[in-house]
Structure formats: C-alpha cells, structure tokens
Amino acid sequence: MAAQPRTRKWAVRVAAAALAVGCLAAPDVTASPMRPDGDRLAGAQVAREGDQAAGSQIALHEPGQPVAASELQTTGPTVAGMDVSSHQGDVDWQHWWDQGMRFAYVKATEGTDYRNPYYDQQYHGSAAVGMIRGAYHFALPDRSDGATQANHFVDNGGGWSPDGITLPGALDVEYNPYGEDTCYGLTPDAMVEWIRQFAETYQARTGRWPVVYTSTLWWDRCTGLAGDFTDTSPVWVARYAAEIGPLPHRWAVHSIWQHSSAPIDQNVFNGTADDLAALARG
C-alpha cells in the first residue's frame, strides 16, 4: 500500500469508524464505451445490459496486470476476499474457502429493475462456509435518482443486519457500460449529489453507510474533486497493479483493494480478521 500521512493503526480505526456510522431484456448496445483518452473500445467488449460485474468497466478503461495477493505491496496484515455476480453462476464456495478467501461481496442489483438471479446461492452459500459477506449495487445514475436505486438495492438483498457476518452494502460506481458518456451525462456536482442521495437513503433504511467501490481515475474525473464522503463511507478501490497508487479524492486510506480479475475478482481487506469482523458488527 502506498505510504499514508498517518500511521496504519490510525488508518484501520478510520476505516472502522466509517463503517460503524450508522431484469428486463434490453436492446443490443451498439455504441462502444470510451477510454479516458478518447479511444473507442471494441464493440465486442461491451457486456450485455443488466449484467455488469464489479470492475467490469474499470478493467476495460484502465487495463492493468492482475496481481496475486502475495505480490501486493502492503504495509500490514490483510484478509483475502472475492466478489461475484451472475457471471459466476452457482459458486463452489468451499473451493474458494480452501483457497483462503474469507469474505465476499455479492452483486444484488443494478439500476432500477435488475436482480442477480444467482444472488441467493451466492449470498447465503458464502456465509454457509464461514465467510463474512455483503451485497453490492451497480449504479446507473442516468436511469433514476440515487434514492430510487438505493431502495431497489435494499428491497432486493442489499440490506444489513447486526449478525456479525454481514458487511454494509456497497455502491459500485464506475464507467458507463451502456454508452459513450463516461459520467452518465451528469456534471460533477450532479454526480456527487446522486451518490450522496444513494448513501443517505441507504443509511436511513439500514442504519449503515454504504462502502463506495470505484477507481481513482473515474472518481476524480466524474466528481470533479468535489465530493467528500470520508466521514461516512469507506472506499473499495479497483486497481490491477502491485501498488494501490493514489486514492480517490479525500480518502486517506482504503478499506478494500480489488487487485485482480483473474480467475475471479479478488480483493484484500486492509486489516486483520478481527478488524473485518468488527466492521461487520458495526
């Protein structure tokens, strides 16, 4: 992990405090998304509507080399985890537990009308083998306001319970997979307001603030360095490299790092197993 301005012990406490605060078929998509430098991606790389995985667009727009957890440059203990969506179908959770995975995030919803058809097997199956797990929502900010999508998320598996094995829900906000406008046609101020509305609605419904999943390049571009969610939401960063690099605007420490998408999305939690359990308990 890149050096931080304060000690790592302080960083873990910040992450813990932040978490403790409180499919319809669609037409074929013919337009290809754009890289930040304006180069058009191949049309074959556009995933089908309603079925995006966490980081699916980050991996396209910010190509990097997936790195094994053992090769990451970190400065303290980490816990291995993973995230899944409908692309994985029924998951062999015992296999991944045997590979060292101890937590999982499962896609629950996307936009306003999609729910992962494999959600129940994935969410409950991960817990059955002993993992701490949570759910995530893939944001489509051009489809509805943040409150509507937060309610859809909570109503379809994205809630939280104080059972010690449930992480707060995560908001996956990244490059637009269904068009050329990277930021969904929203100005930076409008994007910040959309995210804030989602977060506040989720907190009102569940008592917990959501984790924010994103990449530094997308976040800084689409929020215009205007948003500050550090007092409420921990950040889950996608970066496929040995170093985590600069964090999104205002965050001084990450809570989760998605470092690889092969052979499955892999993450490390920034702390010990006890830290992870404490965050789940709220």
Side-chain angles (χ1 to χ4, degrees):
M1 186 178 73
Q4 300 296 337
R6 296 181 175 86
T7 66
R8 191 179 179 288
K9 183 177 181 181
W10 174 89
V12 172
R13 287 177 177 175
V14 169
L19 275 169
V21 178
C23 180
L24 300 178
D28 290 340
V29 179
T30 56
S32 299
M34 302 288 286
R35 295 188 189 277
D37 62 5
D39 291 338
R40 191 179 302 275
L41 293 170
Q45 292 179 305
V46 180
R48 67 184 184 276
E49 183 132 359
D51 198 21
Q52 301 300 319
S56 60
Q57 301 309 299
I58 296 170
L60 293 178
H61 290 263
E62 302 176 26
Q65 182 63 42
V67 179
S70 61
E71 299 173 354
L72 299 178
Q73 296 182 22
T74 58
T75 59
T78 60
V79 181
M82 56 192 285
D83 60 88
V84 296
S85 66
S86 63
H87 290 276
Q88 282 71 50
D90 289 336
V91 176
D92 183 350
W93 288 108
Q94 188 61 55
H95 167 78
W96 291 109
W97 176 270
D98 294 342
Q99 296 298 308
M101 301 299 180
R102 293 297 180 262
F103 73 94
Y105 263 102
V106 175
K107 180 175 181 177
T109 52
E110 177 173 319
T112 58
D113 55 18
Y114 174 81
R115 184 180 190 271
N116 174 8
Y118 296 94
Y119 174 81
D120 291 335
Q121 191 276 343
Q122 294 175 348
Y123 189 77
H124 299 300
S126 54
V129 299
M131 292 188 190
I132 294 176
R133 77 314 193 222
Y136 76 87
H137 173 79
F138 194 100
L140 297 179
D142 58 344
R143 303 296 177 88
S144 68
D145 59 39
T148 298
Q149 293 195 30
N151 283 319
H152 176 60
F153 179 43
V154 175
D155 291 342
N156 289 277
W160 175 80
S161 57
D163 54 13
I165 60 170
T166 304
L167 295 166
L171 172 65
D172 177 353
V173 57
E174 56 181 272
Y175 299 90
N176 183 358
Y178 305 125
E180 296 183 358
D181 193 321
T182 293
C183 303
Y184 300 86
L186 273 62
T187 65
D189 286 344
M191 181 64 75
V192 169
E193 180 56 31
W194 193 98
I195 296 167
R196 192 179 312 282
Q197 190 178 75
F198 182 100
E200 290 177 349
T201 302
Y202 185 83
Q203 195 276 337
R205 290 286 306 272
T206 68
R208 300 297 300 275
W209 294 97
V211 174
V212 171
Y213 170 96
T214 192
S215 79
T216 298
L217 288 177
W218 184 92
W219 182 270
D220 289 357
R221 173 177 178 176
C222 292
T223 69
L225 306 181
D228 184 355
F229 294 85
T230 58
D231 287 341
T232 54
S233 291
V235 68
W236 173 9
V237 178
R239 178 173 167 81
Y240 311 118
E243 296 183 354
I244 196 166
L247 296 177
H249 181 62
R250 294 293 186 188
W251 275 287
V253 61
H254 69 282
S255 289
I256 303 173
W257 174 8
Q258 186 187 74
H259 58 89
S260 180
S261 57
I264 200 166
D265 285 350
Q266 298 178 55
N267 305 274
V268 289
F269 170 75
N270 184 21
T272 67
D274 287 342
D275 294 329
L276 180 64
L279 295 181
R281 290 193 300 270

